[in-house]
């Protein structure tokens, strides 16, 4: 036994090192959600992949972290490498769908998710991704149908219920949306996403007093949360109330000057009001 250990010491050290790295990887994999230490997690992934190149699972999880850090180019490069190793891997395709959805390449995201669903028609991540893609493409009935299916899978998933509610509001299914949103607001009164949607509901029902109350609750809960300004601006614009939409859009852009989606909406608004010089400056 001693002779065996002596003759194979290098191999044994390598196995132990890989084992420790695997343990480190799974530890850091959960670290971002628990401790928000994304840079530490990023370093851990890099060390793991440096020691064990071609580890597809780690590559996909690292790409997901990079997407969350808005490092889309790095995520794309990593997923391209992973695809060369296993082009049919469902996890890679789902990650590519998420990346392309974030980059607003909805056609490519749809292709990614459809490729997953061709292999597994019940894949939860792909169904969620497709529902979001359809919403962005204004295929609202298709989006609503998928969200309803997802909600039937798990009606305790607040994220899915809220995403479904957002589409229902766009379809003017106001009471169906309100029932869902109000339930979450009662259970989680500091949920800013739910309060955002409740604000949108009150815009639809022309209840400015309650909408303003929601805005105050959002600010009191998290002053840094401003998504409701953009989302409610879009609702006003869709309903033809351009002046109210422009006010909220301007407030949003004072805090996020380089948001391309908001700038595009503002340019379209200026164009619609025949303010062509401002529209051209924004474009």
């Amino acid at each position: 036994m001693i002779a065996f250990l002596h003759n194979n010491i290098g191999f044994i050290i390598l196995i132990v090192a890989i084992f420790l790295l695997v343990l480190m990887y799974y530890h850091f994999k959960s670290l971002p959600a628990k401790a928000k230490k994304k840079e530490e997690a990023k370093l851990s992934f890099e060390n793991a992949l440096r020691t064990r190149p071609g580890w597809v699972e780690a590559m996909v999880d690292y790409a997901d972290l990079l997407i969350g850090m808005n490092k889309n180019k790095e995520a794309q490069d990593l997923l391209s490498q992973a695809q060369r190793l296993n082009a049919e891997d469902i996890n890679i395709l789902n990650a590519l769908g998420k990346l392309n959805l974030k980059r607003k390449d909805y056609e490519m995201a749809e292709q990614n998710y459809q490729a997953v669903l061709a292999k597994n028609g019940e894949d939860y991540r792909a169904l969620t991704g497709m529902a979001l893609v359809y919403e962005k493409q204004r295929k609202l009935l298709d989006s609503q149908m998928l969200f309803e299916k997802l909600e039937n899978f798990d009606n305790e998933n607040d994220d899915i219920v809220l995403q479904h509610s957002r589409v229902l509001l766009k379809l003017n299914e106001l009471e169906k949306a309100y029932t869902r949103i109000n339930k979450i607001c009662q259970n989680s009164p500091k949920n800013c996403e739910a309060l955002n949607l409740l604000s949108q509901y009150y815009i639809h029902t022309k209840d400015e007093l309650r909408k303003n109350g929601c805005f105050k609750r959002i600010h009191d809960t998290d002053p840094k949360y401003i998504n409701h300004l953009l989302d409610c601006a879009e609702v006003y614009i869709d309903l033809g109330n351009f002046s109210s939409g422009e006010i909220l859009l301007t407030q949003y852009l004072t805090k996020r000057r380089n948001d391309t989606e908001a700038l595009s909406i503002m340019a379209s608004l200026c164009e619609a009001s025949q303010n062509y010089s401002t529209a051209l400056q924004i474009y």
Side-chain angles (χ1 to χ4, degrees):
M1 175 63 72
I2 294 174
F4 173 81
L5 292 173
H6 178 76
N7 293 333
N8 295 277
I9 189 67
F11 176 75
I12 293 170
I13 290 172
L14 177 63
I15 293 297
V16 171
I18 291 174
F19 175 73
L20 290 173
L21 278 167
V22 170
L23 287 178
M24 186 188 303
Y25 160 69
Y26 283 108
H27 167 70
F28 277 103
K29 180 180 176 181
S30 62
L31 186 59
K34 291 180 179 179
K36 309 294 184 184
K37 295 183 178 178
K38 291 183 178 180
E39 288 299 331
E40 290 184 44
K42 185 174 184 292
L43 180 61
S44 176
F45 279 122
E46 289 170 355
N47 289 335
L49 290 171
R50 192 176 297 114
T51 303
R52 187 177 166 187
W55 188 1
V56 171
E57 183 184 1
M59 294 169 80
V60 171
D61 287 331
Y62 183 24
D64 189 63
L65 175 69
L66 291 170
I67 294 168
M69 297 173 73
N70 292 316
K71 297 180 181 293
N72 295 338
K73 178 63 167 61
E74 289 183 46
Q76 178 65 65
D77 292 343
L78 193 62
L79 290 172
S80 295
Q81 292 177 39
Q83 261 200 317
R84 286 194 288 272
L85 295 169
N86 188 351
E88 301 302 313
D89 188 284
I90 282 179
N91 294 318
I92 298 172
L93 291 169
N94 268 319
L96 283 167
K98 182 178 180 179
L99 175 62
N100 286 317
L101 179 59
K102 185 171 184 180
R103 294 195 302 195
K104 299 181 175 58
D105 188 345
Y106 303 128
E107 184 177 349
M108 186 57 68
E110 183 176 359
Q111 289 180 26
N112 297 142
Y113 289 129
Q114 290 288 17
V116 175
L117 293 171
K119 300 173 185 296
N120 177 9
E122 301 298 309
D123 188 283
Y124 195 86
R125 291 169 300 170
L127 287 171
T128 304
M130 276 305 308
L132 293 170
V133 168
Y134 284 148
E135 181 187 359
K136 292 297 185 181
Q137 294 174 328
R138 306 296 294 182
K139 299 175 182 177
L140 296 178
L141 289 174
D142 292 329
S143 178
Q144 191 273 327
M145 181 181 67
L146 286 181
F147 275 129
E148 189 164 26
K149 181 176 183 177
L150 288 161
E151 195 175 318
N152 288 334
F153 284 161
D154 182 10
N155 62 9
E156 297 300 317
N157 186 329
D158 285 355
D159 288 339
I160 291 297
V161 174
L162 289 175
Q163 288 167 340
H164 187 193
S165 301
R166 185 177 63 232
V167 174
L168 287 169
L169 285 175
K170 292 178 180 178
L171 287 168
N172 210 36
E173 295 279 0
L174 301 183
E175 293 312 308
K176 289 182 181 179
Y178 177 76
T179 300
R180 291 166 168 81
I181 298 164
N182 190 50
K183 180 181 178 181
I184 293 175
C185 284
Q186 289 179 344
N187 294 334
S188 305
K190 293 187 177 182
N191 186 323
C192 288
E193 292 296 332
L195 291 169
N196 178 352
L197 287 169
L198 191 57
S199 303
Q200 295 174 49
Y201 168 79
Y202 288 132
I203 293 171
H204 278 280
T205 58
K206 296 180 170 47
D207 193 334
E208 287 293 308
L209 187 63
R210 285 192 169 91
K211 182 219 75 177
N212 290 334
C214 289
F215 275 29
K216 184 179 185 305
R217 287 170 63 187
I218 290 170
H219 183 268
D220 291 345
T221 300
D222 182 2
K224 294 183 179 179
Y225 182 94
I226 60 169
N227 292 352
H228 61 299
L229 298 176
L230 176 60
D231 295 338
C232 288
E234 289 191 80
V235 175
Y236 276 124
I237 292 167
D238 286 344
L239 294 174
N241 187 342
F242 300 132
S243 59
S244 294
E246 185 175 356
I247 289 169
L248 290 182
L249 202 52
T250 301
Q251 291 175 9
Y252 179 84
L253 284 168
T254 59
K255 298 180 179 181
R256 291 188 186 161
R257 299 178 185 278
N258 297 319
D259 187 305
T260 54
E261 182 179 0
L263 287 169
S264 177
I265 296 169
M266 182 62 88
S268 297
L269 200 57
C270 291
E271 190 175 355
S273 61
Q274 298 185 344
N275 189 350
Y276 299 121
S277 60
T278 303
L280 284 170
Q281 287 175 3
I282 296 172
Y283 282 130

Short mmCIF file of all heavy atoms in Angstrom, two decimals, residues 29 56 194 261 268 280:
data_model
loop_
_atom_site.label_atom_id
_atom_site.label_comp_id
_atom_site.label_asym_id
_atom_site.label_seq_id
_atom_site.Cartn_x
_atom_site.Cartn_y
_atom_site.Cartn_z
N LYS A 29 -21.35 28.45 -5.85
CA LYS A 29 -22.53 28.49 -6.73
C LYS A 29 -23.72 29.08 -5.99
O LYS A 29 -24.53 29.80 -6.56
CB LYS A 29 -22.85 27.07 -7.21
CG LYS A 29 -24.05 26.98 -8.14
CD LYS A 29 -24.28 25.55 -8.56
CE LYS A 29 -25.55 25.43 -9.40
NZ LYS A 29 -25.81 24.05 -9.79
N VAL A 56 -18.91 21.76 -18.46
CA VAL A 56 -20.07 22.43 -19.06
C VAL A 56 -21.02 22.98 -18.01
O VAL A 56 -21.52 24.11 -18.12
CB VAL A 56 -20.81 21.48 -20.03
CG1 VAL A 56 -22.12 22.10 -20.49
CG2 VAL A 56 -19.92 21.18 -21.24
N ALA A 194 -45.04 43.83 -7.06
CA ALA A 194 -46.50 43.76 -6.94
C ALA A 194 -47.10 45.16 -6.83
O ALA A 194 -48.14 45.45 -7.45
CB ALA A 194 -46.86 42.92 -5.71
N GLU A 261 -34.15 51.37 -23.75
CA GLU A 261 -35.59 51.16 -23.93
C GLU A 261 -36.36 52.44 -23.64
O GLU A 261 -37.24 52.84 -24.40
CB GLU A 261 -36.07 50.03 -23.02
CG GLU A 261 -37.55 49.71 -23.17
CD GLU A 261 -38.02 48.57 -22.29
OE1 GLU A 261 -37.19 48.01 -21.54
OE2 GLU A 261 -39.22 48.24 -22.36
N SER A 268 -39.96 58.02 -29.59
CA SER A 268 -41.23 57.76 -30.28
C SER A 268 -42.31 58.74 -29.84
O SER A 268 -43.13 59.18 -30.65
CB SER A 268 -41.69 56.32 -29.99
OG SER A 268 -40.76 55.39 -30.49
N LEU A 280 -34.85 63.22 -33.12
CA LEU A 280 -33.61 62.91 -33.83
C LEU A 280 -32.41 62.93 -32.90
O LEU A 280 -31.51 62.09 -33.01
CB LEU A 280 -33.41 63.91 -34.96
CG LEU A 280 -34.27 63.70 -36.22
CD1 LEU A 280 -34.14 64.88 -37.16
CD2 LEU A 280 -33.87 62.40 -36.93
#
